[in-house]
C-alpha cells in the first residue's frame, strides 16, 4: 500500500509541473470550471452506480494505485474535478468498496497535498512574510489539518451507506449557476 501511494502520486506531480502555466492560466476560466463540474458529475454518477464492490484494502495493488493516481492528476488540470471525487470514482470503477475507495482517496491525497502546500509556501515565502506572516499561516495550516481529519472521519461513515446523489445535484446546479452568471456578464470568466 505504501509503495502504491508513493508511485500513485507520481502522475499528479508530473502533470502539475509539466502543465503549471496552463493550470494557473487559461484552465482557471469559469467556463472550464463550470463544464468540469457538470461533466465530471456524470463520471461520478456512473462510478456511484457500480455494483459488486468487493475489493478491500488488502486487495490494493500498485497498478490500482497508479490508476487512481492518474485520475487524481485530472484535478489540478481541470478545476471543477475535485481530487477526492476523481480518486473515489476511480476506486469505485476498480470495484473497491465505498469505504476503501474513500480511504485510498485520502491516502493518495496526503503526498500531493503536502507537496503542493510546501511548493506554494516556498514559492510565496516572501509574500507570506510581508503580508499575513508565518505564525498565522502555520496556525491556519494546523487548524485546517484538524478540521480535515474530522471531516474525513465523518465522510468515511457517510459514504459507507450513502450514494453521492445530493453532492452531484449540488455540482450540476453550481455549474449551471456559474454558466448563467458568466453568460449574463454578472461575473467575468
Amino acid at each position: 500500500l505504501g509503495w502504491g501511494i508513493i508511485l500513485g502520486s507520481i502522475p499528479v506531480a508530473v502533470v502539475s509541473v509539466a502543465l503549471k502555466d496552463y493550470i494557473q492560466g487559461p484552465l482557471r476560466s469559469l467556463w472550464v470550471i463550470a463544464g468540469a463540474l457538470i461533466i465530471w458529475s456524470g463520471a461520478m454518477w456512473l462510478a456511484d452506480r457500480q455494483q459488486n464492490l468487493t475489493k478491500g484494502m488488502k486487495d490494493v495493488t500498485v497498478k490500482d494505485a497508479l490508476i487512481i493516481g492518474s485520475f487524481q492528476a485530472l484535478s489540478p488540470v481541470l478545476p471543477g474535478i475535485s481530487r477526492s471525487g476523481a480518486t473515489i470514482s476511480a476506486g469505485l470503477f476498480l470495484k473497491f468498496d465505498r469505504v476503501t475507495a474513500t480511504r485510498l482517496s485520502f491516502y493518495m491525497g496526503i503526498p500531493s497535498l503536502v507537496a503542493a502546500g510546501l511548493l506554494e509556501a516556498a514559492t510565496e515565502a516572501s509574500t507570506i512574510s510581508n503580508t499575513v506572516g508565518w505564525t498565522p499561516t502555520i496556525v491556519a495550516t494546523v487548524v485546517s489539518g484538524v478540521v480535515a481529519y474530522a471531516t474525513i472521519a465523518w465522510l468515511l461513515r457517510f459514504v459507507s451507506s450513502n450514494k453521492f446523489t445530493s453532492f452531484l445535484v449540488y455540482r450540476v446546479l453550481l455549474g449551471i449557476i456559474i454558466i448563467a452568471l458568466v453568460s449574463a456578464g454578472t461575473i467575468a470568466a
Side-chain angles (χ1 to χ4, degrees), residues 92-182:
L92 295 174
F93 283 129
L94 292 170
K95 301 299 184 186
F96 285 102
D97 65 68
R98 300 174 72 73
V99 172
T100 300
T102 305
R103 278 195 177 124
L104 286 170
S105 170
F106 287 104
Y107 290 156
M108 294 292 287
I110 293 169
S112 63
L113 295 174
V114 168
L118 290 174
L119 177 63
E120 194 69 21
T123 304
E124 298 296 326
S126 64
T127 303
I128 293 169
S129 295
N130 295 327
T131 57
V132 176
W134 283 100
T135 301
T137 300
I138 292 168
V139 169
T141 302
V142 170
V143 170
S144 295
V146 170
V147 170
Y149 183 81
T151 303
I152 292 166
W154 173 83
L155 185 63
L156 286 172
R157 285 192 306 275
F158 179 81
V159 300
S160 65
S161 59
N162 293 287
K163 293 200 175 283
F164 301 134
T165 306
S166 57
F167 181 59
L168 298 178
V169 169
Y170 156 77
R171 288 175 53 87
V172 170
L173 289 175
L174 180 59
I176 291 169
I177 289 168
I178 291 171
I179 290 170
L181 290 172
V182 172

Coordinates of all heavy atoms in Angstrom, one line a residue, residues 92-182:
L92 N -14.0 3.3 -7.2 CA -15.3 2.6 -7.4 C -15.3 1.8 -8.8 O -15.8 0.7 -8.9 CB -16.5 3.5 -7.3 CG -16.7 4.1 -5.9 CD1 -17.8 5.2 -6.0 CD2 -17.1 3.1 -4.9
F93 N -14.7 2.5 -9.8 CA -14.6 1.9 -11.1 C -13.7 0.6 -11.0 O -13.9 -0.4 -11.7 CB -14.0 2.8 -12.1 CG -15.0 3.8 -12.7 CD1 -14.7 5.2 -12.7 CD2 -16.3 3.4 -13.2 CE1 -15.6 6.1 -13.2 CE2 -17.2 4.4 -13.6 CZ -16.8 5.7 -13.6
L94 N -12.8 0.6 -10.1 CA -11.9 -0.6 -9.9 C -12.5 -1.6 -9.0 O -11.8 -2.6 -8.6 CB -10.5 -0.1 -9.4 CG -9.7 0.7 -10.3 CD1 -8.5 1.3 -9.6 CD2 -9.2 -0.1 -11.5
K95 N -13.7 -1.4 -8.6 CA -14.5 -2.3 -7.8 C -14.1 -2.4 -6.3 O -14.3 -3.4 -5.6 CB -14.5 -3.8 -8.4 CG -15.1 -3.8 -9.8 CD -16.5 -3.4 -9.8 CE -17.1 -3.5 -11.2 NZ -18.4 -3.0 -11.3
F96 N -13.5 -1.3 -5.8 CA -13.2 -1.2 -4.4 C -14.5 -0.9 -3.7 O -15.3 -0.1 -4.2 CB -12.1 -0.2 -4.0 CG -10.8 -0.7 -4.4 CD1 -10.1 -0.3 -5.6 CD2 -10.1 -1.6 -3.6 CE1 -8.9 -0.8 -5.9 CE2 -8.9 -2.1 -3.9 CZ -8.2 -1.7 -5.1
D97 N -14.7 -1.4 -2.4 CA -15.9 -1.0 -1.7 C -15.8 0.5 -1.4 O -14.8 1.1 -1.5 CB -16.1 -1.8 -0.4 CG -15.0 -1.6 0.6 OD1 -14.9 -0.6 1.2 OD2 -14.2 -2.6 0.8
R98 N -16.9 1.1 -1.0 CA -17.0 2.5 -0.9 C -16.1 3.1 0.2 O -15.4 4.1 0.0 CB -18.5 3.0 -0.6 CG -19.4 2.5 -1.7 CD -20.9 2.8 -1.3 NE -21.2 4.2 -1.3 CZ -21.3 4.9 -2.4 NH1 -21.2 4.4 -3.6 NH2 -21.6 6.2 -2.3
V99 N -15.9 2.4 1.3 CA -15.0 2.9 2.4 C -13.6 2.8 1.9 O -12.8 3.7 2.1 CB -15.3 2.1 3.7 CG1 -14.2 2.4 4.7 CG2 -16.7 2.4 4.2
T100 N -13.2 1.7 1.3 CA -11.8 1.5 0.8 C -11.5 2.6 -0.3 O -10.4 3.2 -0.2 CB -11.6 0.1 0.2 OG1 -11.9 -0.8 1.3 CG2 -10.2 -0.1 -0.3
A101 N -12.4 2.8 -1.2 CA -12.2 3.8 -2.2 C -12.0 5.2 -1.6 O -11.1 6.0 -2.0 CB -13.4 3.9 -3.2
T102 N -12.8 5.5 -0.5 CA -12.6 6.8 0.1 C -11.3 6.9 0.9 O -10.6 7.9 0.9 CB -13.8 7.0 1.1 OG1 -15.0 6.9 0.3 CG2 -13.7 8.4 1.7
R103 N -10.9 5.8 1.6 CA -9.7 5.8 2.3 C -8.5 5.9 1.4 O -7.6 6.7 1.6 CB -9.5 4.5 3.1 CG -10.2 4.4 4.4 CD -9.7 3.3 5.2 NE -10.4 3.4 6.5 CZ -11.1 2.4 7.1 NH1 -11.2 1.2 6.5 NH2 -11.7 2.6 8.2
L104 N -8.5 5.2 0.2 CA -7.5 5.3 -0.8 C -7.4 6.7 -1.3 O -6.3 7.3 -1.5 CB -7.7 4.4 -1.9 CG -7.4 2.9 -1.6 CD1 -7.9 2.0 -2.8 CD2 -6.0 2.7 -1.4
S105 N -8.5 7.4 -1.5 CA -8.5 8.7 -2.0 C -7.8 9.7 -1.0 O -6.9 10.5 -1.4 CB -10.0 9.2 -2.1 OG -10.0 10.6 -2.3
F106 N -8.0 9.5 0.3 CA -7.4 10.4 1.2 C -5.9 10.0 1.4 O -5.1 10.9 1.6 CB -8.2 10.4 2.5 CG -9.4 11.2 2.4 CD1 -10.6 10.6 2.3 CD2 -9.4 12.6 2.2 CE1 -11.8 11.3 2.1 CE2 -10.5 13.4 2.0 CZ -11.7 12.7 1.9
Y107 N -5.6 8.7 1.4 CA -4.2 8.3 1.5 C -3.4 8.9 0.3 O -2.3 9.4 0.4 CB -4.0 6.8 1.5 CG -4.5 6.2 2.8 CD1 -4.9 4.8 2.8 CD2 -4.5 6.8 4.0 CE1 -5.3 4.2 4.0 CE2 -4.9 6.2 5.2 CZ -5.3 4.9 5.1 OH -5.7 4.3 6.3
M108 N -4.0 8.8 -0.9 CA -3.4 9.3 -2.1 C -3.2 10.8 -2.1 O -2.3 11.4 -2.7 CB -4.2 8.9 -3.4 CG -4.2 7.5 -3.7 SD -2.7 6.7 -4.1 CE -2.5 7.4 -5.8
G109 N -4.1 11.5 -1.3 CA -4.0 12.9 -1.3 C -2.9 13.5 -0.4 O -2.4 14.6 -0.6
I110 N -2.5 12.7 0.6 CA -1.5 13.2 1.5 C -0.2 13.6 0.9 O 0.2 14.8 1.0 CB -1.2 12.1 2.6 CG1 -2.5 11.9 3.5 CG2 0.0 12.5 3.5 CD1 -2.4 10.8 4.5
P111 N 0.4 12.8 0.0 CA 1.7 13.3 -0.6 C 1.5 14.5 -1.5 O 2.2 15.4 -1.5 CB 2.2 12.1 -1.4 CG 1.5 10.9 -0.8 CD 0.2 11.4 -0.3
S112 N 0.4 14.4 -2.3 CA 0.2 15.5 -3.3 C -0.2 16.8 -2.6 O 0.3 17.9 -3.0 CB -0.9 15.1 -4.3 OG -2.1 14.9 -3.7
L113 N -1.0 16.8 -1.6 CA -1.4 18.0 -0.9 C -0.3 18.6 -0.1 O -0.1 19.8 0.0 CB -2.6 17.7 0.0 CG -3.9 17.3 -0.8 CD1 -5.0 17.0 0.2 CD2 -4.3 18.5 -1.7
V114 N 0.5 17.7 0.6 CA 1.7 18.2 1.3 C 2.7 18.8 0.4 O 3.2 19.9 0.6 CB 2.3 17.1 2.2 CG1 3.7 17.5 2.7 CG2 1.4 16.6 3.3
A115 N 3.0 18.1 -0.7 CA 3.9 18.7 -1.7 C 3.4 20.0 -2.3 O 4.2 20.9 -2.4 CB 4.2 17.6 -2.8
A116 N 2.2 20.1 -2.6 CA 1.6 21.3 -3.2 C 1.7 22.4 -2.2 O 2.1 23.6 -2.5 CB 0.2 21.1 -3.6
G117 N 1.4 22.1 -0.9 CA 1.5 23.1 0.2 C 2.9 23.6 0.4 O 3.1 24.8 0.5
L118 N 3.9 22.7 0.4 CA 5.3 23.1 0.6 C 5.8 23.9 -0.6 O 6.5 24.9 -0.4 CB 6.1 21.8 0.8 CG 5.9 21.1 2.1 CD1 6.7 19.8 2.2 CD2 6.3 22.0 3.3
L119 N 5.4 23.5 -1.8 CA 5.8 24.2 -3.0 C 5.2 25.6 -3.0 O 5.9 26.6 -3.3 CB 5.4 23.5 -4.3 CG 5.7 24.2 -5.6 CD1 7.2 24.4 -5.8 CD2 5.1 23.4 -6.8
E120 N 4.0 25.7 -2.6 CA 3.3 27.1 -2.6 C 4.0 27.9 -1.5 O 4.2 29.1 -1.7 CB 1.8 26.9 -2.3 CG 1.0 28.1 -2.5 CD 0.9 28.6 -4.0 OE1 1.1 27.7 -4.9 OE2 0.7 29.7 -4.2
A121 N 4.3 27.3 -0.3 CA 4.9 28.1 0.8 C 6.3 28.6 0.3 O 6.7 29.7 0.6 CB 5.0 27.2 2.0
A122 N 7.1 27.7 -0.4 CA 8.4 28.1 -0.8 C 8.3 29.2 -1.9 O 9.0 30.2 -1.9 CB 9.1 26.9 -1.4
T123 N 7.3 29.0 -2.8 CA 7.2 30.0 -3.9 C 6.7 31.3 -3.4 O 7.1 32.4 -3.9 CB 6.2 29.4 -4.9 OG1 6.6 28.2 -5.4 CG2 6.0 30.3 -6.1
E124 N 5.8 31.3 -2.4 CA 5.2 32.6 -1.9 C 5.8 33.0 -0.6 O 5.2 33.8 0.2 CB 3.7 32.4 -1.8 CG 3.0 32.1 -3.1 CD 3.1 33.2 -4.1 OE1 3.1 34.4 -3.6 OE2 3.2 32.9 -5.3
A125 N 7.0 32.5 -0.2 CA 7.6 32.8 1.1 C 7.7 34.3 1.4 O 7.3 34.8 2.5 CB 9.0 32.1 1.2
S126 N 8.2 35.1 0.4 CA 8.4 36.5 0.7 C 7.0 37.2 0.8 O 6.9 38.1 1.7 CB 9.2 37.2 -0.4 OG 8.5 37.1 -1.7
T127 N 6.0 36.8 0.0 CA 4.7 37.4 0.1 C 4.1 37.0 1.5 O 3.5 37.9 2.1 CB 3.8 36.8 -1.0 OG1 4.4 37.1 -2.2 CG2 2.4 37.4 -0.9
I128 N 4.2 35.8 2.0 CA 3.7 35.4 3.3 C 4.4 36.3 4.4 O 3.8 36.8 5.3 CB 3.9 33.9 3.5 CG1 3.0 33.1 2.6 CG2 3.6 33.6 5.0 CD1 3.3 31.6 2.5
S129 N 5.7 36.4 4.3 CA 6.5 37.1 5.3 C 6.1 38.6 5.3 O 6.0 39.2 6.4 CB 8.0 37.1 5.0 OG 8.5 35.7 5.1
N130 N 5.8 39.2 4.1 CA 5.5 40.6 4.0 C 4.0 41.0 4.2 O 3.7 42.1 4.3 CB 5.9 41.2 2.7 CG 7.5 41.1 2.5 OD1 8.2 41.2 3.5 ND2 7.9 40.9 1.3
T131 N 3.2 39.9 4.3 CA 1.7 40.2 4.4 C 1.2 39.6 5.7 O 1.3 40.1 6.8 CB 0.9 39.8 3.2 OG1 1.1 38.4 3.0 CG2 1.3 40.6 2.0
V132 N 0.6 38.4 5.6 CA 0.0 37.7 6.7 C 1.0 37.3 7.8 O 0.7 37.5 9.0 CB -0.8 36.5 6.2 CG1 -1.4 35.7 7.3 CG2 -1.8 36.9 5.2
G133 N 2.1 36.8 7.4 CA 3.1 36.4 8.4 C 3.1 34.9 8.5 O 2.1 34.2 8.2
W134 N 4.1 34.3 9.0 CA 4.3 32.9 9.1 C 3.5 32.3 10.3 O 2.9 31.2 10.2 CB 5.7 32.5 9.2 CG 6.4 32.5 7.9 CD1 7.2 33.5 7.4 CD2 6.2 31.6 6.8 NE1 7.5 33.3 6.1 CE2 6.9 32.1 5.7 CE3 5.5 30.4 6.7 CZ2 7.0 31.5 4.5 CZ3 5.6 29.8 5.4 CH2 6.3 30.3 4.4
T135 N 3.4 33.0 11.4 CA 2.6 32.4 12.6 C 1.1 32.2 12.2 O 0.6 31.0 12.4 CB 2.7 33.3 13.8 OG1 4.1 33.4 14.1 CG2 2.0 32.7 15.0
P136 N 0.4 33.2 11.6 CA -1.0 32.9 11.3 C -1.1 31.8 10.2 O -2.0 31.0 10.2 CB -1.5 34.2 10.7 CG -0.6 35.2 11.3 CD 0.8 34.6 11.5
T137 N -0.1 31.8 9.3 CA -0.1 30.7 8.2 C 0.0 29.3 8.8 O -0.7 28.4 8.4 CB 1.0 31.0 7.2 OG1 0.8 32.3 6.6 CG2 1.0 30.0 6.1
I138 N 0.9 29.2 9.7 CA 1.2 27.9 10.4 C -0.1 27.5 11.2 O -0.5 26.3 11.1 CB 2.5 27.9 11.2 CG1 3.7 28.0 10.2 CG2 2.6 26.6 12.1 CD1 5.0 28.3 10.9
V139 N -0.6 28.4 12.0 CA -1.8 28.2 12.8 C -3.0 27.7 11.8 O -3.7 26.7 12.1 CB -2.2 29.4 13.6 CG1 -3.6 29.2 14.3 CG2 -1.2 29.6 14.7
A140 N -3.2 28.5 10.8 CA -4.2 28.1 9.8 C -4.0 26.7 9.2 O -5.0 26.0 9.0 CB -4.3 29.2 8.7
T141 N -2.8 26.4 8.9 CA -2.5 25.1 8.4 C -2.8 24.0 9.4 O -3.4 22.9 9.0 CB -1.0 25.0 8.0 OG1 -0.7 26.0 7.0 CG2 -0.6 23.7 7.4
V142 N -2.4 24.2 10.6 CA -2.7 23.2 11.7 C -4.2 23.0 11.9 O -4.8 21.9 11.9 CB -2.0 23.5 13.0 CG1 -2.5 22.6 14.1 CG2 -0.5 23.4 12.8
V143 N -4.9 24.1 12.0 CA -6.4 24.1 12.1 C -7.0 23.4 10.9 O -7.9 22.6 11.1 CB -7.0 25.5 12.3 CG1 -8.5 25.5 12.2 CG2 -6.5 26.1 13.6
S144 N -6.6 23.7 9.7 CA -7.1 23.0 8.5 C -6.9 21.5 8.6 O -7.7 20.7 8.2 CB -6.4 23.6 7.3 OG -6.8 24.9 7.1
G145 N -5.7 21.1 9.1 CA -5.4 19.7 9.2 C -6.3 19.0 10.2 O -6.8 17.9 9.9
V146 N -6.6 19.6 11.3 CA -7.5 19.1 12.3 C -8.9 19.0 11.8 O -9.6 17.9 11.9 CB -7.5 19.9 13.6 CG1 -8.6 19.5 14.6 CG2 -6.1 19.8 14.3
V147 N -9.4 20.0 11.1 CA -10.7 20.0 10.5 C -10.8 19.0 9.4 O -11.8 18.2 9.3 CB -11.1 21.4 10.0 CG1 -12.4 21.4 9.1 CG2 -11.2 22.4 11.1
A148 N -9.8 18.8 8.6 CA -9.7 17.8 7.5 C -9.8 16.4 8.1 O -10.6 15.6 7.6 CB -8.5 18.0 6.7
Y149 N -9.1 16.2 9.2 CA -9.2 14.9 9.8 C -10.6 14.5 10.3 O -11.1 13.4 10.1 CB -8.2 14.8 11.0 CG -8.1 13.4 11.7 CD1 -7.4 12.4 11.1 CD2 -8.8 13.2 12.8 CE1 -7.3 11.2 11.7 CE2 -8.8 11.9 13.4 CZ -8.0 10.9 12.8 OH -8.0 9.7 13.4
A150 N -11.2 15.5 11.0 CA -12.6 15.3 11.5 C -13.5 15.1 10.3 O -14.4 14.2 10.4 CB -13.0 16.5 12.3
T151 N -13.3 15.8 9.2 CA -14.2 15.7 8.1 C -14.0 14.3 7.4 O -15.0 13.7 7.0 CB -13.8 16.8 7.0 OG1 -14.0 18.1 7.7 CG2 -14.7 16.7 5.8
I152 N -12.8 13.8 7.3 CA -12.5 12.5 6.8 C -13.2 11.4 7.6 O -13.8 10.5 7.1 CB -11.0 12.3 6.7 CG1 -10.4 13.2 5.6 CG2 -10.7 10.8 6.4 CD1 -8.9 13.2 5.7
A153 N -13.1 11.6 8.9 CA -13.8 10.6 9.8 C -15.3 10.5 9.5 O -15.9 9.5 9.4 CB -13.5 10.9 11.3
W154 N -15.9 11.7 9.4 CA -17.3 11.8 9.1 C -17.6 11.2 7.7 O -18.6 10.4 7.6 CB -17.8 13.2 9.2 CG -19.3 13.3 8.8 CD1 -20.4 13.1 9.5 CD2 -19.7 13.7 7.5 NE1 -21.5 13.3 8.7 CE2 -21.1 13.7 7.5 CE3 -19.1 14.1 6.3 CZ2 -21.9 14.0 6.4 CZ3 -19.8 14.3 5.2 CH2 -21.2 14.3 5.2
L155 N -16.8 11.6 6.8 CA -17.1 11.2 5.4 C -17.0 9.7 5.2 O -17.8 9.1 4.5 CB -16.1 11.9 4.4 CG -16.3 11.6 3.0 CD1 -17.7 12.1 2.5 CD2 -15.2 12.2 2.1
L156 N -16.0 9.0 5.9 CA -15.9 7.6 5.9 C -17.2 6.9 6.4 O -17.6 5.9 5.8 CB -14.7 7.1 6.6 CG -13.3 7.4 6.0 CD1 -12.2 7.0 7.0 CD2 -13.2 6.6 4.7
R157 N -17.8 7.4 7.4 CA -19.0 6.9 7.9 C -20.2 7.2 6.9 O -21.0 6.3 6.7 CB -19.4 7.5 9.3 CG -18.6 6.9 10.4 CD -19.1 7.3 11.8 NE -19.3 8.7 12.0 CZ -18.4 9.6 12.3 NH1 -17.1 9.2 12.6 NH2 -18.6 10.9 12.5
F158 N -20.2 8.4 6.3 CA -21.2 8.7 5.4 C -21.2 7.9 4.2 O -22.3 7.4 3.7 CB -21.1 10.2 5.1 CG -22.2 10.7 4.1 CD1 -23.4 11.0 4.5 CD2 -21.9 10.8 2.7 CE1 -24.4 11.4 3.6 CE2 -22.9 11.2 1.8 CZ -24.1 11.5 2.3
V159 N -20.1 7.7 3.5 CA -20.0 7.0 2.2 C -20.2 5.5 2.4 O -20.6 4.9 1.4 CB -18.7 7.3 1.5 CG1 -18.5 8.7 1.2 CG2 -17.5 6.7 2.2
S160 N -20.1 5.0 3.6 CA -20.3 3.6 3.7 C -21.7 3.2 3.5 O -22.0 2.0 3.1 CB -19.8 3.1 5.1 OG -20.7 3.7 6.1
S161 N -22.6 4.1 3.6 CA -24.0 3.7 3.4 C -24.8 4.7 2.6 O -26.0 4.6 2.5 CB -24.7 3.6 4.8 OG -24.6 4.8 5.5
N162 N -24.2 5.7 1.9 CA -24.9 6.7 1.2 C -24.3 6.8 -0.2 O -23.1 6.7 -0.4 CB -24.9 8.0 1.9 CG -25.7 8.1 3.1 OD1 -26.9 8.1 3.1 ND2 -24.9 8.0 4.3
K163 N -25.1 7.2 -1.2 CA -24.6 7.5 -2.5 C -24.3 9.0 -2.6 O -24.6 9.7 -1.7 CB -25.7 7.1 -3.6 CG -25.8 5.6 -3.6 CD -26.5 5.2 -4.9 CE -26.5 3.7 -5.1 NZ -25.3 3.1 -5.4
F164 N -23.7 9.4 -3.7 CA -23.3 10.8 -3.8 C -24.3 11.7 -4.5 O -24.0 12.8 -4.9 CB -22.0 10.9 -4.7 CG -20.8 10.1 -4.1 CD1 -20.1 9.3 -4.9 CD2 -20.5 10.2 -2.8 CE1 -19.0 8.6 -4.4 CE2 -19.4 9.5 -2.3 CZ -18.7 8.7 -3.1
T165 N -25.6 11.2 -4.6 CA -26.6 11.9 -5.3 C -26.7 13.4 -5.0 O -26.7 14.3 -5.8 CB -27.9 11.2 -5.2 OG1 -27.8 9.8 -5.6 CG2 -29.0 11.8 -6.1
S166 N -26.9 13.7 -3.7 CA -27.1 15.1 -3.3 C -25.9 16.0 -3.7 O -26.0 17.1 -4.1 CB -27.4 15.2 -1.8 OG -26.3 14.6 -1.0
F167 N -24.7 15.4 -3.5 CA -23.5 16.1 -3.9 C -23.4 16.4 -5.4 O -23.0 17.4 -5.9 CB -22.2 15.4 -3.5 CG -20.9 16.0 -3.8 CD1 -20.6 17.3 -3.3 CD2 -20.0 15.4 -4.6 CE1 -19.4 17.9 -3.6 CE2 -18.8 16.0 -4.9 CZ -18.5 17.3 -4.4
L168 N -23.9 15.4 -6.2 CA -23.9 15.5 -7.7 C -24.9 16.6 -8.1 O -24.6 17.3 -9.0 CB -24.2 14.2 -8.3 CG -23.1 13.1 -8.0 CD1 -23.6 11.8 -8.7 CD2 -21.8 13.5 -8.5
V169 N -26.1 16.6 -7.4 CA -27.1 17.6 -7.7 C -26.5 19.0 -7.5 O -26.6 19.9 -8.3 CB -28.3 17.4 -6.9 CG1 -29.3 18.6 -7.0 CG2 -29.1 16.1 -7.4
Y170 N -25.8 19.2 -6.3 CA -25.1 20.4 -6.0 C -24.1 20.8 -7.1 O -24.1 22.0 -7.5 CB -24.4 20.3 -4.6 CG -23.3 21.2 -4.4 CD1 -23.5 22.6 -4.1 CD2 -22.0 20.8 -4.5 CE1 -22.5 23.4 -3.9 CE2 -20.9 21.6 -4.3 CZ -21.2 23.0 -4.0 OH -20.1 23.8 -3.8
R171 N -23.3 19.9 -7.5 CA -22.3 20.2 -8.5 C -22.9 20.6 -9.8 O -22.4 21.6 -10.4 CB -21.4 18.9 -8.8 CG -20.4 18.5 -7.7 CD -19.7 17.2 -8.0 NE -19.1 17.2 -9.3 CZ -17.9 17.7 -9.5 NH1 -17.1 18.1 -8.5 NH2 -17.4 17.7 -10.7
V172 N -23.9 20.0 -10.3 CA -24.6 20.3 -11.5 C -25.2 21.7 -11.4 O -25.1 22.6 -12.3 CB -25.6 19.3 -12.0 CG1 -26.4 19.7 -13.1 CG2 -24.8 18.0 -12.3
L173 N -25.9 21.9 -10.3 CA -26.6 23.2 -10.1 C -25.5 24.3 -10.0 O -25.7 25.4 -10.6 CB -27.4 23.2 -8.8 CG -28.7 22.4 -8.9 CD1 -29.4 22.4 -7.6 CD2 -29.6 22.9 -10.0
L174 N -24.4 24.1 -9.3 CA -23.4 25.1 -9.2 C -22.8 25.4 -10.6 O -22.6 26.6 -11.0 CB -22.3 24.6 -8.3 CG -21.1 25.6 -8.1 CD1 -21.6 27.0 -7.6 CD2 -20.0 25.0 -7.2
G175 N -22.6 24.4 -11.4 CA -22.1 24.6 -12.8 C -23.1 25.4 -13.6 O -22.7 26.3 -14.4
I176 N -24.4 25.1 -13.5 CA -25.4 25.9 -14.3 C -25.4 27.3 -13.8 O -25.5 28.2 -14.6 CB -26.8 25.2 -14.1 CG1 -26.8 23.8 -14.9 CG2 -27.9 26.1 -14.6 CD1 -28.0 23.0 -14.6
I177 N -25.3 27.5 -12.5 CA -25.4 28.9 -12.0 C -24.1 29.7 -12.5 O -24.3 30.8 -12.9 CB -25.4 28.9 -10.4 CG1 -26.8 28.4 -9.9 CG2 -25.1 30.3 -9.8 CD1 -26.9 28.1 -8.5
I178 N -23.0 29.1 -12.5 CA -21.8 29.7 -13.0 C -21.9 30.1 -14.4 O -21.6 31.2 -14.8 CB -20.5 28.9 -12.7 CG1 -20.2 28.8 -11.2 CG2 -19.3 29.4 -13.5 CD1 -19.1 27.7 -10.9
I179 N -22.4 29.1 -15.2 CA -22.7 29.4 -16.6 C -23.6 30.6 -16.8 O -23.4 31.5 -17.6 CB -23.2 28.2 -17.4 CG1 -22.0 27.1 -17.5 CG2 -23.7 28.5 -18.8 CD1 -22.5 25.8 -17.9
A180 N -24.7 30.6 -16.0 CA -25.7 31.7 -16.2 C -25.1 33.0 -15.8 O -25.3 34.0 -16.5 CB -26.9 31.4 -15.3
L181 N -24.3 33.0 -14.7 CA -23.7 34.3 -14.2 C -22.7 34.8 -15.2 O -22.6 36.0 -15.5 CB -23.1 34.1 -12.8 CG -24.1 33.9 -11.7 CD1 -23.3 33.6 -10.4 CD2 -24.9 35.2 -11.5
V182 N -21.8 33.9 -15.8 CA -20.8 34.4 -16.8 C -21.5 34.8 -18.1 O -21.2 35.8 -18.7 CB -19.8 33.2 -17.0 CG1 -18.9 33.6 -18.2 CG2 -19.0 32.9 -15.8

